[in-house]
Every structure is written in structure tokens, then in C-alpha cells.
Amino acid sequence: MNSMHKEIVISRLTAWLVALLAVWLTACSDEEKHEVVLPPGTPVTAHFCLSAANSGITTRADEVEENMKSWVVIITSNGTVENVFTKDKDNVGNLTEDVVANFTTQVTTGTKRIYSFANITLEELIAAIGTTETIANDPIATIKSIANIEAAIRTATFAPQGNNWTSANNTKGIPMSNWQEIEIKSDNKSYTLYVCRMIAKVEFKLENKTGQNITVKNVTISDITSNESPVMLMPKTSVTAERDIKQSVNLPMASDSASVSVETTEVKALKEDGTDAITLLADDTTPTSVTVYVNESQVQSDYGLFRLTLTIDRGTGEEEELRYALVSNENDNWTYISRNDHRIIPILIEDYKLDLIPVDFPPIAVYPSSVKEEDGVFTCTFHAGGEFELIPVVTKYSTGTKLAYGTGDNQWSYVADSWITPATTPTGADNTPAIYVADKKPAWNDEDHLVSGEFNTTLGEAYHEMKVTVNKGGDAQRELLYRVWVIRK
């Protein structure tokens, strides 16, 4: 290559690099211009987009009945309402563009607290906030007239009517709310506003392992906040992302000035008359889902757990109730169901029934021991001190046969080291029992296949758990949990 050709190549390469550098500098210059931070109070244009947040378990964006049909946005600055924007399914409210969940407006720079609502009308918001000044035929002006909007919204309650919610019985859609702190620093920026559903979805996944067809007539869950009891208007935690939303229950507290009585109820996932009954085929490997909407709820029962009841027919024409208590799991979050949750509860219907027989040796004129099974918990009451026993009994439902102890087919056995005394009871109380003789606390007796111990003279109670394994045949096994309250009176 001659020197002139080299110079031409180098010259072209240099020109290309210079041009590329110029483009890069221009891009940087435009970006820096776009990110110019303006002084607080400067008028700017802001673009907002509303989005319904999904739960932490699964996305629900494709479920039309759970989407926004209308919305309200209240922009505040230093506790004062700057503007209110609305959009409903029939008109565009006070917006200039007919675009659902998107709007552009003039605001001033600075920190804004923005309250967003979906499927709640302005009139319903005014009623929830309880403002004393209502401007006739002008709900937006009424909202703007509220002096301390932050306190008013923070203490407001709302009854979302979430239990057994369906799009057929509530055409307005699921109520949603949220608050966010938005820092507006520059012009022509876009911001996403999220809304959080005020009710939860509970999905029961039913699986039949009894070896015969079963008809499920009903499924209920207890300790659910009634439709007559409101919840707090706002979620406890601001939602700032679309997915993996984790909320805590936000029910009115006794210390709150807006306190109201929270009543609980049982929510039925199937119709009481049995018209929604479902048949679970014998040993079907695919679970059948039954879904119900509920209000956010905090367990209030003595056992500190939600309770499930199944009404079933094993093919005899006779109805039978199976009761379960949801054991605290998933980081102990089964003591509550929060708004926006999508909770999945697997229910395995087995052909085995657990019983527990308490045995003691009381003197004459002292009541013998007794047991009461409720919601999967055995409460064993003793009226005398001294030695006692707890005898497990496992029965096969379909035949009524009591299973023998052992490791063979259709036998049951104790799970090693499974008899425990948890540090806390299901209600969250300390579990430090003082009712036993120090060196004779209840323990598994492997020779007699039972739990034995000895009481001292102290009255009180203790909570224990124990597991047994049922050998169904071949490699099929099922581990079952005993939950035991021991009461010494």
C-alpha cells in the first residue's frame, strides 16, 4: 500500500470517528438537558399511567373482572390537594383524552403524595373520608376543600364487600387503592401509579386420595372479615411495583379514631344447596380448583388459625364434614389474609382419620380425662395429677378399620423425634408448660406406641405436636399431623 492510499484510509477513519464522537456528544447533551433538575414549584408537564398491582403468587393481569373500570387520582403537595382526575366507564371525567389509565397534566416540581383509586367513585370516597363540607354537584371541589387530606384518607375506612365477590353481583369492579410518594424534578417525565386490590382471592386445590369418587358439596373458611365490617381505605404499605406485592392486614384498630367493630364470618366457596357440587374422581392426579374472593382478615379464633370445613358425600348419599385447621406456614403468614393476596390452599382428602385417647388414673370422685377434637386439634383435659397416656388411633374411613402399628401396608408408625413442644402456641402465646414433673415430661413410648408422662400439682396447659406416617401400600406414604392441647385442671 502506497503512502497516499494510507493517508486516504486514515483520513476516512478519522472522519468516521469524529462523526461518531459528535453523535455521542449530542446524545449526552440531549440526555443531560432532559435530566435538568428544576427548582421546586416550577410548572412542568407530567405523564401518568395507572396499573393494577399483581399478587406475590401469580399474575392476574389477564383476568378482566379484576381490572380497572374507573379510577380517581388525587395529587397533593404538603397536605393540600393540587388536582383531582377521574375516569369512569361511561365518560372521561375531567380529562381531555379518552385513554383509560393514562393522562397528562401540568404540575409543579417537588414531592407529591398521590392517592390513586380504581372502581371507587368520587362520591364513595367523599363518604369514606367523611368530610363535613360537601359542595353540591361538585365532588372534585369537595375533595379540594378538605384541609388535611392526608389525615382524612389515612383514617378513612371502606367496606369493599369482598366476600363471594363476582363480576355479576358487582359491575363496578373490585375496589382498589394506594398512595405513593412521587418526586417530580424535571419536565415531560412519565410516572407509574399503582393501585392495590382491597380484597383477596383464595383458591382451594382439592385432591382426592381416598380410592373412591367423592362429591364435595361445600367448602368454607372461617374467621373472614364480614361484608358489614369495613377495612382501612389505604393499604398498610405503599405499592411501588407491579409484581410480588406483599401487604399486611390493615383493619381498624381500637386506638384508631375511625375504629369500628370487625366481625368475622364463614365464607362458602360453593352454594349451600349443593348446586355447585363437584365430583373428585378416585386418585385423580390433577387437583380441582375452587376459588372464592374474601375480605382481608386476621384470625380471631382461640387457636389462632383459619379453619376449613368440607361437606362431602362418599357415594353413600350421606353428608359428612371434614374439618381442617390451617397450620401456620409460609413464614407464619397463615394467621392473616391481606388485601390483593392470591392464596392457594392445597386440600388432600385422605381415607384416614386421626383420633387420640387420653388415659389417666384419677382417684375416686375425680373426673376422668376427656378429649375433644375440633378443627384438627385435640384438646385433652385432665383433672388429676400423676401419670397419664395419650394413645394415637388411625382409622381407615372407607372400611372403618383401625390400622395396626407397624411399617407394612395399611399400617401406621410414629415419625421419629416428631413429638415436640413448640416455643409458642398457635395463638402466639408462650408455650412454657409447668404442669409436668421435670424429668417425666411427655415423650413417645416406642414400646407401647403411645405418649406417656406425669403431671405435677401445677394447673395450666401445654401445646404439643406429633406426626405419624400411614403406609398406604407399596411406596405410597402419607404423613399426618397431631396437634394437641393438654389442659390440667
Side-chain angles (χ1 to χ4, degrees):
M1 182 182 293
N2 59 44
S3 58
M4 181 177 292
H5 182 70
K6 288 181 180 179
E7 288 176 2
I8 292 172
V9 171
I10 292 173
S11 199
R12 288 177 178 173
L13 179 60
T14 303
W16 181 81
L17 290 173
V18 169
L20 181 60
L21 181 60
V23 171
W24 181 79
L25 288 173
T26 301
C28 289
S29 177
D30 289 343
E31 186 176 345
E32 287 172 1
K33 186 185 298 183
H34 183 70
E35 294 296 331
V36 169
V37 176
L38 299 173
T42 304
V44 294
T45 298
H47 309 280
F48 294 97
C49 173
L50 271 74
S51 177
N54 290 311
S55 67
I57 292 181
T58 182
T59 178
R60 305 190 296 188
D62 295 331
E63 301 189 43
V64 176
E65 69 272 14
E66 298 190 14
N67 291 338
M68 293 181 289
K69 298 178 183 295
S70 66
W71 51 264
V72 174
V73 172
I74 302 173
I75 300 178
T76 73
S77 179
N78 297 320
T80 301
V81 178
E82 284 193 349
N83 219 330
V84 181
F85 298 92
T86 67
K87 168 72 171 68
D88 64 37
K89 62 181 180 179
D90 298 319
N91 60 69
V92 294
N94 64 326
L95 301 178
T96 58
E97 57 238 82
D98 188 7
V99 180
V100 173
N102 292 275
F103 66 97
T104 297
T105 182
Q106 289 289 313
V107 296
T108 57
T109 54
T111 300
K112 310 295 176 182
R113 174 163 285 201
I114 301 180
Y115 300 95
S116 304
F117 305 90
N119 306 330
I120 301 175
T121 66
L122 270 174
E123 290 75 13
E124 288 174 325
L125 277 179
I126 291 170
I129 294 171
T131 179
T132 57
E133 181 179 356
T134 303
I135 300 174
N137 301 319
D138 197 341
I140 290 179
T142 299
I143 292 289
K144 288 183 176 181
S145 72
I146 300 173
N148 191 344
I149 189 71
E150 181 176 346
I153 291 179
R154 178 179 56 81
T155 58
T157 61
F158 189 86
Q161 303 289 310
N163 294 341
N164 294 107
W165 185 95
T166 66
S167 56
N169 63 26
N170 194 331
T171 57
K172 292 191 301 182
I174 293 175
M176 309 179 198
S177 64
N178 188 37
W179 55 273
Q180 289 170 259
E181 296 283 356
I182 302 289
E183 185 73 21
I184 297 177
K185 299 179 179 180
S186 54
D187 188 29
N188 205 35
K189 295 272 289 184
S190 296
Y191 308 90
T192 300
L193 303 176
Y194 298 100
V195 283
C196 175
R197 295 171 184 85
M198 295 180 70
I199 65 176
K201 176 190 286 186
V202 176
E203 181 180 353
F204 305 101
K205 286 196 171 181
L206 304 167
E207 197 169 352
N208 178 10
K209 293 297 183 183
T210 66
Q212 63 188 67
N213 294 350
I214 287 180
T215 300
V216 179
K217 298 292 189 69
N218 205 0
V219 183
T220 68
I221 182 169
S222 74
D223 284 55
I224 299 299
T225 301
S226 71
N227 276 343
E228 290 68 39
S229 294
V231 300
M232 300 307 292
L233 178 62
M234 285 286 106
K236 183 163 285 188
T237 305
S238 171
V239 176
T240 58
E242 183 180 6
R243 302 183 187 279
D244 299 324
I245 306 306
K246 304 295 183 183
Q247 283 292 331
S248 299
V249 171
N250 202 15
L251 298 175
M253 305 297 291
S255 59
D256 199 309
S257 60
S259 176
V260 293
S261 172
V262 176
E263 299 177 354
T264 60
T265 185
E266 274 195 341
V267 171
K268 299 178 182 295
L270 297 174
K271 290 183 180 177
E272 196 168 9
D273 61 7
T275 55
D276 277 354
I278 57 177
T279 298
L280 305 179
L281 300 179
D283 296 314
D284 191 347
T285 58
T286 303
T288 298
S289 289
V290 176
T291 299
V292 62
Y293 288 94
V294 300
N295 294 317
E296 67 173 350
S297 305
Q298 182 78 45
V299 170
Q300 298 186 28
S301 70
D302 292 339
Y303 293 123
L305 298 169
F306 291 103
R307 300 182 306 281
L308 306 180
T309 302
L310 268 66
T311 304
I312 68 170
D313 182 348
R314 297 177 184 269
T316 62
E318 296 183 5
E319 292 188 357
E320 174 186 341
E321 280 195 355
L322 301 178
R323 292 181 294 179
Y324 304 82
L326 289 182
V327 179
S328 297
N329 55 12
E330 297 181 38
N331 300 317
D332 295 327
N333 67 6
W334 269 117
T335 58
Y336 65 88
I337 298 174
S338 295
R339 65 184 70 197
N340 202 64
D341 277 355
H342 181 177
R343 296 297 193 98
I344 298 176
I345 303 175
I347 302 176
L348 196 63
I349 304 176
E350 282 283 5
D351 197 21
Y352 302 99
K353 177 186 177 183
L354 295 180
D355 287 302
L356 192 65
I357 301 174
V359 177
D360 65 349
F361 311 95
I364 296 174
V366 175
Y367 287 113
S369 58
S370 62
V371 63
K372 179 183 179 181
E373 186 275 329
E374 184 178 13
D375 306 322
V377 178
F378 295 90
T379 301
C380 302
T381 304
F382 296 86
H383 300 271
E387 296 180 349
F388 70 94
E389 297 172 348
L390 299 172
I391 304 174
V393 177
V394 182
T395 304
K396 192 173 177 66
Y397 261 118
S398 55
T399 63
T401 304
K402 293 182 180 179
L403 274 60
Y405 187 88
T407 57
D409 291 352
N410 293 311
Q411 293 184 328
W412 71 273
S413 58
Y414 169 73
V415 176
D417 301 320
S418 68
W419 174 266
I420 61 172
T421 304
T424 58
T425 70
T427 61
D430 289 340
N431 189 31
T432 53
I435 58 178
Y436 306 120
V437 175
D439 59 348
K440 295 185 178 180
K441 295 178 181 179
W444 178 253
N445 182 327
D446 201 41
E447 181 178 350
D448 298 319
H449 313 139
L450 52 80
V451 173
S452 60
E454 185 174 340
F455 293 116
N456 57 29
T457 58
T458 303
L459 305 184
E461 59 186 49
Y463 173 75
H464 306 281
E465 292 179 355
M466 180 182 73
K467 295 177 182 178
V468 299
T469 297
V470 175
N471 300 285
K472 301 169 64 175
D475 295 329
Q477 293 185 335
R478 174 66 174 152
E479 195 172 88
L480 305 175
L481 174 69
Y482 274 95
R483 299 170 59 241
V484 185
W485 281 96
V486 176
I487 299 176
R488 168 74 171 89
K489 288 188 173 182

